[in-house]
Structure formats: C-alpha cells, structure tokens
Amino acid sequence: MSEIIKVGVAGTGSYVPERVVDNAFFEGILDTNDEWIRQRTGIAERRFVADGQENSDMCLVAAREALENAGVSPEELDLIVVATISGDYQMPSTACLVQKELGAANAGAFDVQAACSGFVTALGLGEAYIRSGRAKNVLVIGAEALSRFLNLEDRGSAILFGDGAGAAVLQPHSVCGKAEILKTTLGADGEGWSHIWIPSGGSKRPATANTVAEREHLIRVNGREVYRFAVHRMGEVIGQMMDGYDQQELGLIVPHQVNQRIIDAAVERHEIPGDKVMVNIDKYGNTSAASVPIALHEAQQAGRLEDGKLVVLAAFGAGLTWAGALIRW
Ligand code: UT7
C-alpha cells in the first residue's frame, strides 16, 4: 500500500497596493458616509491598484515572498494556481503570466474561479495534487484587482471591495516539516448564482457599447441575501473544520474578510473569543480571493500563528460557494 503523503504550508507572502482609499473618497461621489460604512461593514479604508499596475504584478510580489519564506526556487515549482475573478485578461490565465515572470519553467499553470472562496479552493486543489503524488511544490495565489470592476454609482457594492494578493507554497509535510493541512472542504449552491455577479462579458452576453453603458461589466451584489447566507455558511464551515477537535487546540480562525458583522455573528455561534479571530477588514475591505491569504500571512508575521495550534480558514462567495481548511501550524 502506498504511503499517504501529508501536505504542509511551507511559506506565505502577501502584497497590497500603496494607494490607500478611505471612506471619505466615496462621500464625494455617493450618498454614503464614513460612519455608515464603518458601522455596517467594519471597513475604514481599502487599497486600489495604481494605473498601470495589474493583478499579475501583485501576484508576483506575493509569490516571491512566499517562495523565499519556503526556500523554494521558481524552477522547483510543479504547479501554479491563481484564484481570481479579476485576472489581467479573460484569456490567458493570470497563472500563465505569473509562470512566465517567475521563470517557473517546470510548472503547469491555471486559474481557479471560485470568487471569495477561490484561495481556499485552490489550497485544497494544491493539497490534493501533492497528496496524490502528482506534484511536490505547488504555488497557490489569491489575487484581485476588483477596483477595476466597481460600479461607483452603486453605494451598496462600491464601498465593499479592495485590491491585493496573498500566496502560499505547499510541499509534502515530510519535506517542509511545517503547518500540516489536516482537512479541507468545498461546497456550492448554484441556486444563489445571481446574488453576486457580473452580468456581461461572458459568452451569454458579450460586451457591447450597450452593456458597457448599462454598467453590466461591473460587480452587482444582493447584499442582504449574501449576508444571510454568509453568516450561516461561515459558521457551518468553522464547525465542520473543528469537528473532532477540542476548542482548546484552536489557535486562530482566519475568515474571509467580508464584513465585521458577518464574522462576529459566525464566530459567536461557536463561542470563539475575538482574540482567536484574525480581522484586517478595517484596512483592506473585501479583497475576495486575496482576503484569506493576506490575513493568513499577516497573522503569521504578527506572531499569531502558534506552533502546534489549529488554524481554521473559512471562506464563501459568489457562486454561491464556500470552502474551509484546517491546518496544524
Ligand atoms: O464576499 C462576498 C461579497 N460581499 C457581499 O456580498 C456583502 C455582504 N453583505 C453585506 O456586507 C451587507 O449586507 C451590506 C454592507 C452590503 C449592507 O449592510 P446591511 O446592514 O445589510 O444594509 P441593507 O442592505 O439592509 O441596507 C440598509 C439601508 C438601505 O436603505 P433603506 O432601504 O433602509 O432606506 C440601503 O439603501 O442602508 C442603505 N445603504 C447605504 N447607506 C449608506 C446601503 N449601502 C449604503 C451605503 N451608505 N454605502
């Protein structure tokens, strides 16, 4: 019988653009205010890419940091997966642009589209590749340039999102000896497909002057519906990940940074104290697929990931989709 290959997170990295956009920016263009945004979302500011700065540029910075922290060279990579809904192009994948720039000549590369659940989905995919013996070194990235898809005439969605990238290098646990991925989960409910979407630009409704004039190429969110779904699913994913483990072993929950109130409600269900929850939504807003890996890397840098303790990743997003991971750090 072949030996089961355990998988570890060998290194992480992240990047956010320099341009800080505070809530006052939206006061000038929408009927909104700083107090409403802070109270209803927990967001104080977010980052937007500069003109000429692309999603793949952010991927590269985060990826290089993760590779350095893992002690892995680009040539050693077998696979690069980029989770994004805002890649540089509709085609080719952003992963191929990253592969070229890194000089990762031996890596396969593709993108994953699972919106805010994207990074955790890609992490589970990378884990499966290594566990099955098909890859040894996998680079997983979550990155978004959502500022390019904001409808600045819609106060219900424009204030929510920000840009950034986070990355992780996965290896057999026997090689890196770090952060073992104990389990992952994945789910979808396509019934809710139209709660977060971009109506045009796909094959059903290709972009025309008319679709652009109607702002159909920009993000639309049914906030109330997503809110209800999010509290329920985020709580459920956390429960699933912790099932069979003692809460005393929990080091940190790293949730998708969607809304402070959603995070609070989800962790309250499990009576998890606030100091065991990583939150940086105040600084970056919702960076979709980038939110969990940025938060994970910042938690690591801040010394909040204790050796031997459990780390839970919990995300959900458009699709509707959800994904979770349990890691023993
Ligand atoms: O990662 C997945 C993508 N993220 C999401 O889908 C977001 C999930 N949803 C949420 O975070 C929250 O539902 C929102 C922050 C979007 C909205 O918060 P809420 O507490 O659910 O507000 P609401 O939609 O129930 O709206 C309450 C009021 C409405 O006014 P009326 O109808 O009561 O007069 C909205 O029009 O707040 C109004 N409103 C705003 N007011 C000031 C909505 N957006 C704003 C705004 N500024 N930016």
Side-chain angles (χ1 to χ4, degrees), residues 31-33 36-37 40-41 116 155-156 159-161 196 221 223-224 226-227 256 258-259 261-262 286 316-317:
D31 180 14
T32 189
N33 58 74
W36 192 97
I37 299 171
R40 297 293 186 114
T41 70
C116 306
R155 66 178 182 174
I159 53 122
L160 297 173
F161 300 102
I196 319 172
V221 175
R224 270 179 219 183
V226 177
Y227 194 102
H256 170 42
V258 54
N259 182 319
R261 289 156 56 216
I262 293 174
N286 178 351
F316 65 88

Side-chain angles (χ1 to χ4, degrees), residues 177-190:
K178 292 186 208 168
E180 183 190 341
I181 300 173
L182 300 174
K183 57 176 160 176
T184 61
T185 187
L186 206 59
D189 178 6

Side-chain angles (χ1 to χ4, degrees), residues 17 54 78-80 91-92 106 125 135 148-149 151 198 230 270 278 280 289 297 310 315 318:
E54 310 307 339
D78 305 303
L79 180 65
I80 300 173
M91 181 181 71
N106 301 307
L125 189 77
R148 303 252 166 89
F149 295 91
N151 181 356
I198 296 178
H270 298 285
M278 178 65 195
N280 60 10
H297 180 63
L310 297 176

Side-chain angles (χ1 to χ4, degrees), residues 227 231-232 234-236 238-239 247 250 253 255 260-274 276-277:
Y227 194 102
V231 171
H232 169 67
M234 181 106 95
E236 197 174 75
I238 292 169
Q247 200 132 307
L250 177 64
I253 306 268
Q260 180 76 56
R261 289 156 56 216
I262 293 174
I263 295 171
D264 290 346
V267 298
E268 219 167 75
R269 236 175 91 177
H270 298 285
E271 297 178 358
I272 295 165
K276 295 212 164 171
V277 185

